[in-house]
C-alpha cells in the first residue's frame, strides 16, 4: 500500500510487526506503522486531503447533537439512577442525517468576490471526516464539573449565586485546558506510544460505517454486526431497565440470609463486598469503572489486583477490627457522620452569615467521621497522586526529557509513526499562539469571576493562580497514564487538600479551587484525546481546534441553562427528606460532591488528617505511593527480558477500588470478568475476530442501552408509569441490612441493635 509521502507501508495482517528504520544522523526512530498492535489492527493509514471537513452539515448536525446531549445528560444527571448518553449515540444518529442532507440539499456554490472564498450547503457525499468531527463536536456537550458547584450552592447550602458568575465559572473551567493542551500535544498526540485506547472504539465504528466491505462467507460485515448487537442491546435493556430492574445486581447471600447483617455486608454487590454477586445489565458493567472492552488487558489486571487487595484484605481487616471506630458507620457510604454514628449536621458548624466554619459550634458538636471505605478512598487518592509522578518519572522520564530538549532546541521534526508523518505533511498545524490566546483570555475571565460579583466564590486571586500551577505540573504525567492505559488518576483530592490547609473553613473556595486545578487538567486531556482521534481520522488540526472551541462554548451554555432551569423550577430538588416519596430528583453525584465540600471546605484537612482529627494515618499513603514504583522499576532494569514486569502499574493498582463509592463491588467484578475474557482469552485465541469485532461490539452495546434508556424515560418513566409492582422491579440487590452499623448501642432505623 502506497503512502502519501512515497513510502511503502506494510498491510495490516494478523502477524504484522512494525518495521523500524534508524536514522543515523540524529538517532531518531521512524515507524512505518504504529508500534502498538491494537492501533495497527484498527486504524487505516490511508488519507484523502481533498475531503471537506468544516462543512455546513458538520456545523448543523454537530452543534445540534452537542445541544441535545448536553440537555439529556444534564437532565438525567440529577435523577436517582443517572443515565449517561455517550457520543456513540450522536455517532449513529448523525450518519443517516448527514446522508439525507447530502442527498437533498442544493449543491449551488456561492462565491464571494475580493476574498477568494466560496460556500455551499452541499459539497458532495457525506464523508468520514465530517462524521468524525461531528462526533467530536457532540462530545463537547459533556456536563461541566463546575455545574456541581452551582448545584450544591443552590440545592444543598440553599444560598444564591449570581448567574453570570456561575456561567463564567463553568465556561472558564472548561476552556482553560486549551492552554495546557497546546503545551503538551507534541508529547501526547504526536508520539505513537501515546495511543489513547478508547479512541479505537470510535475509529472502528467510523470505518464500519463508511468503508465498503464484502460480507465474508458465513459471516457478516462490521456494519451488519454492529446493527445486530445494537438491536439486541436496545431490546434487552427493557428488562433490566424497566421490567426487572433487580437484574442490575443479584446478590446470592442476601437472598439466602435475609436477616443477617454480616452475610449481607459480605454478599451485597451494591453496599457490601460483593462476594457471590453478579449482574445481567451491561450498564452496570460499563458504568463508573468504564467500558472494559477498550481497556488494555494489563490495565485490567492491575486494577483488579488493587481491587482484591483493597476490598478483600484491607477493608475487612480494618472494619472488623474497628479501626477508626468503623463499626459505628455503614461499611460502604459516602456520607459524613458524627461521633454517635448519626449523619453529620453541617448546619451546627457553619456560620450562616459568613458562610465559613463556626469554631465554637464545631467544638461543642463533634469531629467528622467517615465510613472505613471512604476514609481509605482518600488514602488511596494520596497514593495515586505520588505514584503517578514517581511511575512516569521512572518509566517515561527519559522520553519526556528527550522530547522537551528537541522542542526547545527547535531541532528537526519528530519522525513518529506513519500517522504523524501524514498529518505533518498534509495539513497546517495549529499555531501555539492560538492556544496561548485562549489561555490568557480565560485567565483574565477567571480572575474576574473570582474577585468580582461580591467575591461570592470565596477564592482569592492567588488561590486561582496556585490552582493553575497544579494543573500545569500534573497534566503531562497523568496524560501519559491515560494515553497508555485508558485510566485517568484524578487531581480532585490533592487540590482539596492543598487549599483546605492554606485557606480552611471556606467550602466554596475549596470546591472552586478543586475545579480550576483538576478540571483544567482533565479538560486538557479531553482535548488532547480528541486531537488524537482527529490524528487517527486525518482531520486537519485547525478544523479540529475550531470545532472543539465552538462546541465547548455551546455545550457549556446548554448544560448551564439546563441545570439552572432544573435547580430553580423543581421544589426541594436534591433534598431527599423533603422530596415526595419515590421522587427521582435525588442528585446522587451532587450529594458526594457536597459531602466532599464539608470534609475539605467546612471542616478542613487540618481537623481531619492531622492529630486534631481522626485520620492522620492516611498521610502515610503519600510516601507509600511515592516509593511503590521504585522496586518495580529496579526489577524491570535488572531483568529486561521479563517484559511482564514493566506492565506492573502502581497508579492503576492503587486506583483499583478507590472509586467505591459511588462505584460498587459489582461494577468492578463485572468489569474484570468481561475485560479479561475479551482482552486476554479472545485477543490471544481469536485475534482476527477480536480485531474485527471487539470495538464494534463495545460501541453497539453502549448505543443500544443509551437509546432505550432515553426512550423508556420519555415514553414511560417521565409520566410516572412504573410498570408492574413486584419483587424484581426495584433497582437494588435486596440487601437492606448491608448498610447497618454493627457497633453496640448505635441505633439506625431499619437495623438491628447490637
Amino acid at each position: 500500500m502506497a503512502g502519501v509521502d512515497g513510502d511503502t507501508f506494510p498491510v495490516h495482517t494478523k502477524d504484522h510487526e512494525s518495521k523500524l528504520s534508524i536514522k543515523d544522523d540524529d538517532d531518531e526512530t521512524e515507524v512505518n506503522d504504529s508500534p502498538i498492535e491494537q492501533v495497527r489492527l484498527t486504524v487505516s493509514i490511508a488519507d484523502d486531503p481533498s475531503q471537506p471537513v468544516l462543512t455546513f452539515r458538520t456545523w448543523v448536525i454537530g452543534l445540534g447533537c452537542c445541544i441535545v446531549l448536553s440537555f439529556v445528560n444534564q437532565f438525567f444527571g440529577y435523577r436517582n439512577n443517572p443515565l449517561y448518553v455517550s457520543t456513540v449515540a450522536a455517532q449513529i444518529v448523525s450518519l443517516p442525517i448527514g446522508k439525507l442532507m447530502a442527498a437533498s440539499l442544493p449543491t449551488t456554490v456561492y462565491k464571494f468576490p475580493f476574498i477568494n472564498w466560496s460556500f455551499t450547503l452541499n459539497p458532495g457525499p457525506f464523508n468520514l471526516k465530517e462524521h468524525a468531527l461531528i462526533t467530536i463536536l457532540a462530545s463537547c456537550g459533556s456536563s461541566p464539573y463546575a455545574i456541581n458547584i452551582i448545584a450544591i450552592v443552590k440545592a444543598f447550602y440553599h444560598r444564591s449565586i449570581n448567574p453570570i458568575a456561575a456561567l463564567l465559572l463553568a465556561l472558564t473551567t472548561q476552556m482553560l485546558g486549551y492552554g495546557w493542551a497546546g503545551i503538551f500535544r507534541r508529547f501526547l498526540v504526536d508520539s505513537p506510544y501515546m495511543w489513547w485506547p478508547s479512541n479505537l472504539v470510535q475509529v472502528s465504528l467510523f470505518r464500519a460505517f463508511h468503508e465498503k466491505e464484502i460480507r465474508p462467507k458465513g459471516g457478516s460485515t462490521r456494519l451488519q454486526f454492529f446493527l445486530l448487537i445494537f438491536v439486541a442491546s436496545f431490546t434487552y435493556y427493557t428488562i433490566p431497565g424497566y421490567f426487572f430492574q433487580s437484574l442490575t445486581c443479584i446478590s446470592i447471600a442476601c437472598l439466602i440470609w435475609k436477616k443477617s447483617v454480616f452475610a449481607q455486608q459480605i454478599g451485597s454487590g451494591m453496599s457490601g463486598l460483593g462476594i457471590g454477586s453478579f449482574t445481567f445489565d451491561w450498564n452496570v458493567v460499563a458504568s463508573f469503572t468504564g467500558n472494559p472492552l477498550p481497556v488494555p488487558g494489563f490495565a485490567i489486571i492491575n486494577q483488579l489486583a488493587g481491587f482484591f487487595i483493597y476490598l478483600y484484605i484491607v477493608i475487612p481487616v480494618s472494619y472488623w477490627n474497628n479501626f477508626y471506630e468503623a463499626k459505628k458507620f455503614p461499611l460502604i457510604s459516602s456520607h459524613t457522620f458524627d461521633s454517635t454514628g448519626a449523619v453529620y449536621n453541617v448546619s451546627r458548624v457553619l456560620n450562616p452569615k459568613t458562610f465559613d466554619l463556626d469554631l465554637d459550634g464545631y467544638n461543642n458538636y463533634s469531629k467528622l467521621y467517615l465510613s472505613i471505605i471512604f476514609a481509605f478512598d482518600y488514602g488511596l487518592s494520596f497514593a495515586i497522586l505520588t505514584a503517578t509522578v514517581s511511575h512516569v518519572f521512572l518509566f517515561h522520564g527519559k522520553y519526556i526529557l528527550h522530547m522537551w530538549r528537541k522542542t526547545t532546541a527547535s531541532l528537526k521534526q519528530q519522525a513518529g509513526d506513519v500517522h504523524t508523518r501524514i498529518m505533518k505533511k498534509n495539513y497546517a498545524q495549529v499555531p501555539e499562539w492560538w492556544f496561548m490566546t485562549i489561555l490568557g483570555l480565560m485567565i483574565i475571565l477567571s480572575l474576574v469571576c473570582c474577585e468580582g460579583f461580591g467575591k461570592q466564590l470565596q477564592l482569592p486571586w492567588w488561590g486561582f493562580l496556585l490552582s493553575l500551577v497544579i494543573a500545569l505540573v500534573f497534566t503531562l504525567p497523568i496524560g501519559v497514564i491515560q494515553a497508555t492505559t485508558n485510566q485517568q488518576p484524578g487531581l480532585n483530592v490533592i487540590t482539596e487538600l492543598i487549599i483546605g490547609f492554606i485557606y480552611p473553613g471556606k467550602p466554596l473556595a475549596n470546591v472552586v479551587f478543586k475545579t480550576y486545578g483538576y478540571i483544567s487538567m482533565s479538560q486538557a486531556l479531553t482535548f488532547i484525546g480528541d486531537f488524537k482521534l482527529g490524528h487517527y481520522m486525518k482531520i486537519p488540526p485547525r478544523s479540529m481546534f475550531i470545532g472543539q472551541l465552538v462546541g465547548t462554548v455551546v455545550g457549556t451554555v446548554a448544560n448551564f441553562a439546563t441545570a439552572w432551569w432544573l435547580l430553580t423550577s423543581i421544589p426541594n430538588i436534591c433534598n431527599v427528606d423533603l422530596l415526595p416519596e419515590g421522587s427521582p430528583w435525588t442528585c446522587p453525584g451532587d450529594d458526594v460532591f457536597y459531602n466532599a465540600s464539608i470534609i475539605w471546605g467546612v471542616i478542613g484537612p487540618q481537623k481531619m488528617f492531622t492529630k486534631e482529627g481522626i485520620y492522620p494515618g492516611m498521610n502515610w499513603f503519600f510516601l507509600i505511593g511515592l516509593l511503590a514504583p521504585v522496586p518495580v522499576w529496579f526489577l524491570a532494569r535488572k531483568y529486561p527480558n521479563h517484559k511482564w514486569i514493566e506492565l506492573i502499574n502502581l497508579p492503576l493498582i492503587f486506583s483499583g477500588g478507590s472509586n467505591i463509592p459511588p462505584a460498587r463491588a459489582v461494577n468492578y467484578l463485572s468489569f474484570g470478568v468481561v475485560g479479561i475474557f475479551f482482552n486476554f482469552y479472545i485477543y490471544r485465541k481469536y485475534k482476527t475476530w477480536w480485531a474485527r469485532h471487539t470495538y464494534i461490539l463495545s460501541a453497539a452495546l453502549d448505543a443500544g442501552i443509551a437509546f432505550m434508556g432515553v426512550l423508556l424515560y420519555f415514553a414511560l418513566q417521565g409520566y410516572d408509569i412504573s410498570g408492574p409492582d413486584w419483587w424484581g422491579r426495584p433497582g437494588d440487590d435486596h440487601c437492606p441490612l448491608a448498610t447497618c452499623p454493627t457497633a453496640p448501642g448505635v441505633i439506625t432505623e431499619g437495623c438491628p441493635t447490637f
Side-chain angles (χ1 to χ4, degrees):
M1 182 183 294
V4 295
D5 55 359
D7 293 336
T8 301
F9 304 128
V11 178
H12 293 179
T13 64
K14 175 181 176 181
D15 299 318
H16 168 73
E17 298 293 339
S18 60
K19 298 181 179 180
L20 306 179
S21 60
I22 307 300
K23 297 164 67 177
D24 294 331
D25 55 348
D26 62 354
D27 198 30
E28 292 285 349
T29 299
E30 190 171 89
V31 187
N32 264 356
D33 203 336
S34 174
I36 306 298
E37 184 174 27
Q38 289 91 332
V39 177
R40 294 199 306 269
L41 294 170
T42 307
V43 182
S44 171
I45 55 177
D47 181 37
D48 180 3
S50 66
Q51 286 186 335
V53 181
L54 275 180
T55 64
F56 175 76
R57 295 185 298 242
T58 301
W59 286 118
V60 171
I61 303 173
L63 292 180
C65 289
C66 176
I67 293 170
V68 171
L69 285 186
S70 297
F71 170 78
V72 170
N73 287 328
Q74 192 64 58
F75 183 87
F76 281 107
Y78 290 118
R79 296 174 63 82
N80 186 40
N81 290 304
L83 175 70
Y84 176 73
V85 181
S86 71
T87 52
V88 173
Q91 195 172 1
I92 296 167
V93 169
S94 60
L95 180 64
I97 297 175
K99 288 184 176 293
L100 177 64
M101 293 179 74
S104 58
L105 289 177
T107 57
T108 306
V109 177
Y110 304 94
K111 295 185 178 180
F112 295 83
F114 309 115
I115 59 174
N116 193 28
W117 188 73
S118 61
F119 169 77
T120 178
L121 297 175
N122 189 351
F126 184 62
N127 65 67
L128 184 149
K129 294 185 181 183
E130 285 179 288
H131 196 185
L133 189 53
I134 285 169
T135 304
I136 292 168
L137 261 169
S139 71
C140 296
S142 60
S143 179
Y145 196 74
I147 298 293
N148 290 302
I149 299 176
I150 302 167
I152 67 168
V153 169
K154 295 186 72 65
F156 289 87
Y157 287 116
H158 306 291
R159 297 178 69 90
S160 61
I161 182 172
N162 187 297
I164 298 176
L167 178 59
L168 278 178
L169 177 66
L171 193 62
T172 53
T173 53
Q174 290 293 95
M175 296 186 65
L176 273 168
Y178 278 99
W180 317 144
I183 294 171
F184 297 115
R185 60 188 168 135
R186 63 180 59 85
F187 303 101
L188 299 175
V189 176
D190 292 347
S191 169
Y193 297 98
M194 303 294 110
W195 57 289
W196 298 87
S198 62
N199 282 337
L200 301 187
V201 175
Q202 292 188 321
V203 172
S204 294
L205 193 53
F206 283 130
R207 295 187 66 185
F209 282 158
H210 289 272
E211 293 181 0
K212 293 182 178 180
E213 186 179 1
I214 299 175
R215 184 172 67 87
K217 187 176 180 180
S220 60
T221 65
R222 288 175 297 177
L223 182 56
Q224 290 171 334
F225 178 78
F226 171 83
L227 292 174
L228 177 66
I229 300 300
F230 171 79
V231 171
S233 175
F234 177 84
T235 305
Y236 174 75
Y237 191 63
T238 58
I239 302 174
Y242 186 70
F243 292 108
F244 195 174
Q245 296 180 46
S246 291
L247 288 178
T248 295
C249 181
I250 296 176
S251 301
I252 299 298
C254 300
L255 301 179
I256 298 174
W257 293 285
K258 297 182 180 181
K259 296 184 179 181
S260 171
V261 173
F262 176 77
Q264 295 195 18
Q265 286 178 323
I266 294 291
S268 174
M270 300 184 78
S271 303
L273 303 184
I275 296 175
S277 67
F278 53 92
T279 183
F280 289 102
D281 184 355
W282 177 256
N283 197 36
V284 173
V285 178
S287 62
F288 295 114
T289 49
N291 190 323
L293 298 184
V295 180
F298 83 92
I300 293 173
I301 293 296
N302 276 280
Q303 279 192 290
L304 281 183
F307 168 77
F308 277 98
I309 294 170
Y310 176 54
L311 202 65
Y312 297 130
I313 298 177
V314 175
I315 295 303
V317 168
S318 301
Y319 182 82
W320 277 286
N321 283 285
N322 204 29
F323 292 176
Y324 303 116
E325 301 181 62
K327 291 185 178 182
K328 281 186 177 181
F329 320 110
L331 176 64
I332 297 177
S333 174
S334 61
H335 289 109
T336 53
F337 302 92
D338 61 25
S339 57
T340 69
V343 173
Y344 202 83
N345 186 353
V346 70
S347 64
R348 294 183 59 177
V349 300
L350 192 62
N351 189 315
K353 294 181 179 179
T354 59
F355 200 44
D356 56 13
L357 180 64
D358 180 351
L359 280 175
D360 290 334
Y362 174 78
N363 292 329
N364 292 325
Y365 178 36
S366 169
K367 293 182 178 181
L368 192 72
Y369 289 79
L370 308 173
S371 70
I372 191 66
I373 201 163
F374 206 25
F376 273 102
D377 274 358
Y378 284 121
L380 289 178
S381 298
F382 300 160
I384 290 169
L385 181 79
T386 51
T388 297
V389 175
S390 180
H391 175 88
V392 172
F393 174 78
L394 293 172
F395 287 93
H396 303 280
K398 285 186 177 179
Y399 164 76
I400 293 172
L401 181 62
H402 170 68
M403 285 301 302
W404 185 262
R405 285 174 174 170
K406 276 191 60 183
T407 303
T408 54
S410 300
L411 294 179
K412 297 170 67 176
Q413 284 188 328
Q414 177 189 3
D417 64 357
V418 60
H419 304 291
T420 300
R421 299 203 309 278
I422 288 174
M423 293 299 290
K424 289 183 181 295
K425 181 178 178 64
N426 289 351
Y427 306 106
Q429 300 302 301
V430 180
E432 291 289 333
W433 70 266
W434 287 19
F435 292 100
M436 295 302 105
T437 300
I438 297 294
L439 177 62
L441 180 61
M442 289 304 110
I443 289 176
I444 293 171
L445 289 178
S446 299
L447 289 170
V448 170
C449 185
C450 291
E451 290 291 336
F453 305 99
K455 298 190 176 181
Q456 286 184 323
L457 300 181
Q458 296 185 328
L459 185 67
W461 63 269
W462 55 263
F464 165 70
L465 296 180
L466 178 60
S467 72
L468 296 190
V469 173
I470 295 173
L472 180 63
V473 168
F474 283 101
T475 297
L476 183 57
I478 291 178
V480 170
I481 297 290
Q482 185 174 355
T484 54
T485 70
N486 208 43
Q487 305 296 316
Q488 184 191 104
L491 287 181
N492 50 327
V493 171
I494 191 61
T495 50
E496 292 168 321
L497 181 73
I498 291 173
I499 195 65
F501 272 116
I502 297 175
Y503 202 50
K506 305 285 186 182
L508 283 192
N510 192 280
V511 293
V512 171
F513 181 90
K514 171 175 68 171
T515 304
Y516 275 120
Y518 168 35
I519 292 304
S520 63
M521 178 276 298
S522 182
Q523 280 296 105
L525 297 183
T526 298
F527 297 144
I528 289 171
D530 283 346
F531 258 98
K532 191 69 173 188
L533 176 60
H535 192 82
Y536 287 149
M537 304 309 299
K538 313 301 182 293
I539 298 175
R542 295 188 178 191
S543 298
M544 278 287 303
F545 180 91
I546 295 170
Q548 285 180 295
L549 181 65
V550 174
T552 302
V553 173
V554 172
T556 301
V557 172
N559 274 288
F560 171 78
T562 305
W564 194 267
W565 166 59
L566 292 172
L567 291 168
T568 55
S569 63
I570 298 177
N572 301 315
I573 187 172
C574 306
N575 193 327
V576 178
D577 295 331
L578 297 180
L579 283 169
E581 185 176 354
S583 174
W585 304 104
T586 58
C587 313
D590 296 295
D591 183 57
V592 174
F593 195 87
Y594 167 68
N595 281 292
S597 75
I598 297 173
I599 295 168
W600 300 101
V602 178
I603 305 302
Q606 182 73 28
K607 292 177 172 56
M608 285 286 296
F609 298 103
T610 69
K611 292 181 180 179
E612 294 182 29
I614 308 297
Y615 306 102
M618 294 300 159
N619 293 312
W620 286 104
F621 280 93
F622 283 113
L623 183 61
I624 292 171
L626 184 68
L627 298 180
V630 175
V632 178
W633 173 77
F634 176 77
L635 290 173
R637 287 173 59 86
K638 187 176 175 107
Y639 303 103
N641 294 327
H642 294 71
K643 296 297 182 184
W644 63 269
I645 298 176
E646 293 187 6
L647 299 180
I648 299 174
N649 188 303
L650 269 301
L652 287 182
I653 290 175
F654 286 126
S655 72
S658 66
N659 199 30
I660 300 175
R664 298 126 175 177
V666 68
N667 296 115
Y668 276 95
L669 292 169
S670 56
F671 171 87
V673 170
V674 173
I676 288 174
F677 177 75
F678 278 96
N679 292 327
F680 279 96
Y681 178 74
I682 298 295
Y683 177 74
R684 292 181 177 181
K685 193 163 185 177
Y686 304 101
K687 187 172 290 186
T688 302
W689 188 97
W690 185 95
R692 183 180 176 84
H693 293 110
T694 298
Y695 294 131
I696 302 293
L697 175 66
S698 171
L701 289 170
D702 286 349
I705 287 176
F707 279 95
M708 178 53 75
V710 173
L711 179 62
L712 285 173
Y713 175 77
F714 285 106
L716 298 170
Q717 294 165 339
Y719 297 97
D720 294 325
I721 303 174
S722 55
D725 187 8
W726 70 294
W727 172 86
R729 196 189 76 182
D732 61 41
D733 60 351
H734 303 280
C735 301
L737 303 182
T739 58
C740 290
T742 57
V746 178
I747 300 174
T748 302
E749 185 178 354
C751 295
T753 302
F754 290 84

